[in-house]
Amino acid sequence: MQTLRSFLKGEWVAGSGAGRALHDAATGAEVASVASDGLDLGGALAWARAVGGPKLRAMTFAERGQVLKAMSAVIHEHREALIDVSRHGGTTRGDAKFDIDGAAGTLSYYAYVGKGLGEQRFLLDGEAEPLLRSKRFVGQHVRLPRRGVAVHINAFNFPAWGMAEKAAVALLAGVPVVSKPGTPTAPLAVRIVELWHEAGVLPEGAFQLLVGGAGDLLDHLGAQDCVAFTGGSETARSIRGHANIVRHNIAVNIEADSLNASVLGPDVEVGSDTWHMFVNDVSREMTQKCGQKCTAVRRIFVPEAVADDVVAALSDRLAAAGVGDPADKDTRVGPVASAGQHRAVQAGLDALSAAATRVWEGSAPDGAGFWVKPSLFRSDKGLDTDFVHEHEVFGPVATVLPWDGSVAGIAALVAAGGGGLVCSVYSDDPEWGGEAVLEIAPWNGRVHWGSRKVHDQSPGSGTVLPNLIHGGPGKAGGGSELGGVRGLELYMPRTAIQADQGLLKRILG
Ligand code: NAP
């Protein structure tokens, strides 16, 4: 059985204490253990500030981009071995590729951003502006890398992509990272960092990995550090309210729960290209990674007249997505990742059964693994279906909610989720679709408009792309990651410098 180790201050170290056991999601067998008691986390942060920060800040964006390119190449080279490592967490081959290729692709994208930013070490924000009557005294906004550490706390569902997407942006900004993966799937994160370390692609002090509990990590943060968190909203609240974080006003970016919606426009005919796009997207978003995706569709809004057709079409598609052994190449849906997730999903299904009607249920193997039967629910009570608009069941589960087809009605229903990461709208009517998209947009970080002309050339609503922002208002955490250069903002705060324009030119170029 593997004992997972952390990579701190340039060395692989195991924590002490009872720790936690990790289980194979398909069999329930114990596969690894991890403990983080006794680790010198304050020392790790200090080391990153003293060694990693200066090393990264001395590099240009193009040089930092080269580091990301090398990190991406290592993941790509070991892709097959990494797919095998990820299997214990219940991922099918397709699910593992989604995570691992997403990690390599995002690093590679930010390597390209770095190349584009070239020989600079910081960013100018806008132009210098004269401040008074004299043209000599000007003000210029600049973005410089924080002098601290980026602490990344990730959810269990994307051990490769989640770690890599956050690291790509922080390292490109010139800020060293301490990354903590979600414990149930931490072995994949550990293996990737081992490979980076063995390949010698990480500048000294630039990247450290903490596995197991976060211990007293947050107690050691200071005013130049920042936190990027992905996970549940309860954990998010405890991090945002952490006494040391409040005391130093430490910047925190939160990606949390999201009741993502999918909306079928009243103009879409059953059997049309746009209809098929909607059915394909929704069924994939419900089942990929066994529904353990922050961008998975949870609420499906459809016009009353086609609600029965939607339920029938989705049930057919879902029935074709077999649940079973993730190692079997025909399996489309594996188990959920851990016993804790299994308990949470089962409790969510019980609560949904009380709030709505289960209109389709799939099958799943019996046995010791963390199996969940995919389920489709329906509620004709719209806004009055409280649980559906409030609680994210993090598994292969969604609810169909018929509505009257009005823009005002759909705006209120989408808003009832309290803010989401992504909402998809399917319509070929430029007026209805355009109005609906603009009404819905303020409640979501991203809106995906599906229509006839792009029905076969869209990645779907659930694929997070590094050139677009990822995050959402309200319940989704209020954060924003990625989005090309926009993603650097968390790590490169804005400062206004006012001075004689000649002097300013000398320091800013
Ligand atoms: P979680 O239980 O909130 O854990 C998230 C991370 O926080 C894990 O690394 C966890 O460590 C750590 N953590 C827990 N308590 C902590 C504390 N007091 N201080 C510091 N760190 C702490 O969430 P999860 O079960 O991993 O993920 C599922 C949830 O994440 C779902 O609700 C889903 O919606 C959300 N999610 C959101 C996004 C997004 O981008 N918005 C993406 C993926 C998932 P341990 O694993 O060691 O407990």
Side-chain angles (χ1 to χ4, degrees):
M1 200 179 61
Q2 187 186 8
T3 300
L4 296 183
R5 292 179 305 166
S6 295
F7 181 62
L8 300 174
K9 293 189 270 180
E11 289 182 357
W12 289 97
V13 285
S16 56
R20 239 167 103 177
L22 275 58
H23 297 90
D24 184 290
T27 65
E30 202 169 318
V31 290
S33 69
V34 59
S36 57
D37 288 359
L39 297 174
D40 177 15
L41 303 182
L45 292 171
W47 193 67
R49 290 183 202 109
V51 179
K55 275 231 152 66
L56 286 167
R57 291 197 298 274
M59 298 165 87
T60 63
F61 284 115
E63 288 167 336
R64 294 174 207 152
Q66 285 297 320
V67 172
L68 303 184
K69 192 173 172 191
M71 291 165 76
S72 171
V74 168
I75 294 178
H76 192 64
E77 184 189 341
H78 296 275
R79 182 177 189 247
E80 286 304 318
L82 292 172
I83 289 172
D84 280 347
V85 174
S86 81
R87 193 144 291 142
H88 84 91
T91 46
T92 63
R93 181 174 169 80
D95 291 343
K97 283 196 295 188
F98 192 63
D99 184 26
I100 291 162
D101 292 347
T106 305
L107 285 161
S108 170
Y109 170 81
Y110 271 97
Y112 170 76
V113 173
K115 189 175 171 193
L117 293 173
E119 300 310 307
Q120 315 167 71
R121 291 182 174 78
F122 55 86
L123 297 172
L124 298 184
D125 180 346
E127 307 263 313
E129 289 177 45
L131 297 176
L132 301 169
R133 247 184 251 151
S134 145
K135 291 212 164 92
R136 274 221 79 84
F137 195 66
V138 297
Q140 167 78 57
H141 291 93
V142 293
R143 287 190 171 276
L144 294 154
R146 293 179 181 282
R147 271 22 184 191
V149 188
V151 167
H152 293 164
I153 300 176
N154 284 307
F156 74 87
N157 57 342
F158 282 100
W161 178 83
M163 175 173 74
E165 59 96 11
K166 284 188 172 64
V169 188
L171 295 177
L172 184 62
V175 179
V177 170
V178 172
S179 185
K180 190 201 113 42
T183 299
T185 55
L188 180 59
V190 170
R191 187 63 196 130
I192 290 173
V193 180
E194 282 173 353
L195 291 169
W196 285 340
H197 182 54
E198 285 161 18
V201 297
L202 297 172
E204 192 183 15
F207 189 92
Q208 301 179 77
L209 183 77
L210 165 64
V211 289
D216 61 359
L217 181 68
L218 303 181
D219 295 337
H220 299 285
L221 294 179
Q224 282 285 313
D225 301 325
C226 65
V227 177
F229 168 83
T230 297
S233 49
E234 242 172 75
T235 318
R237 265 192 295 279
S238 82
I239 289 176
R240 225 196 271 278
H242 186 278
N244 187 48
I245 286 183
V246 173
R247 181 163 154 247
H248 292 292
N249 283 319
I250 290 167
V252 178
N253 190 78
I254 301 280
E255 305 291 343
D257 309 353
S258 177
L259 292 156
N260 308 301
S262 188
V263 179
L264 183 66
D267 60 292
V268 179
E269 284 176 23
V270 176
S272 64
D273 285 345
T274 308
W275 164 272
H276 287 302
M277 183 185 194
F278 160 79
V279 172
N280 288 344
D281 281 0
V282 171
S283 51
R284 183 185 56 243
E285 293 312 323
M286 279 181 68
T287 52
Q288 193 171 39
K289 296 218 87 207
C290 196
Q292 300 167 110
K293 259 178 28 176
C294 51
T295 50
V297 172
R298 308 292 175 194
R299 301 178 299 151
I300 308 161
F301 297 112
V302 302
E304 282 148 0
V306 295
D308 292 341
D309 299 289
V310 167
V311 169
L314 286 177
S315 303
D316 272 1
R317 292 301 303 267
L318 293 168
V323 179
D325 181 357
D328 182 337
K329 69 174 176 31
D330 292 328
T331 296
R332 293 270 308 282
V333 184
V336 294
S338 67
Q341 284 304 310
H342 189 248
R343 279 193 298 276
V345 174
Q346 294 300 352
L349 282 168
D350 290 346
L352 262 183
S353 304
T357 308
R358 197 187 308 239
V359 288
W360 179 83
E361 184 180 45
S363 58
D366 293 326
F370 310 134
W371 305 105
V372 172
K373 292 178 182 165
S375 294
L376 187 66
F377 288 83
R378 172 173 175 163
S379 166
D380 291 78
K381 290 189 287 177
L383 288 169
D384 293 332
T385 321
D386 285 354
F387 186 82
V388 174
H389 301 295
E390 280 164 13
H391 193 91
E392 180 191 35
V393 181
F394 210 53
V397 184
T399 304
V400 174
L401 297 114
W403 103 107
D404 64 8
S406 67
V407 169
I410 198 59
L413 284 161
V414 170
L421 293 173
V422 59
C423 177
S424 49
V425 177
Y426 298 84
S427 172
D428 291 309
D429 178 343
E431 295 203 352
W432 188 92
E435 218 184 306
V437 163
L438 295 180
E439 281 300 316
I440 285 165
W443 289 95
N444 292 278
R446 186 160 55 86
V447 177
H448 167 87
W449 184 352
S451 61
R452 188 172 46 236
K453 288 189 181 161
V454 292
H455 79 276
D456 57 353
Q457 44 180 289
S458 140
S461 60
T463 302
V464 172
L465 300 166
N467 36 350
L468 301 183
I469 56 163
H470 173 59
K475 194 175 182 66
S480 178
E481 289 183 339
L482 301 172
V485 178
R486 294 171 193 85
L488 302 182
E489 292 181 6
L490 173 66
Y491 305 102
M492 303 186 79
R494 189 185 284 118
T495 303
I497 303 182
Q498 52 196 67
D500 170 272
Q501 64 168 340
L503 293 176
L504 206 53
K505 246 195 177 126
R506 281 174 77 99
I507 59 165
L508 301 181

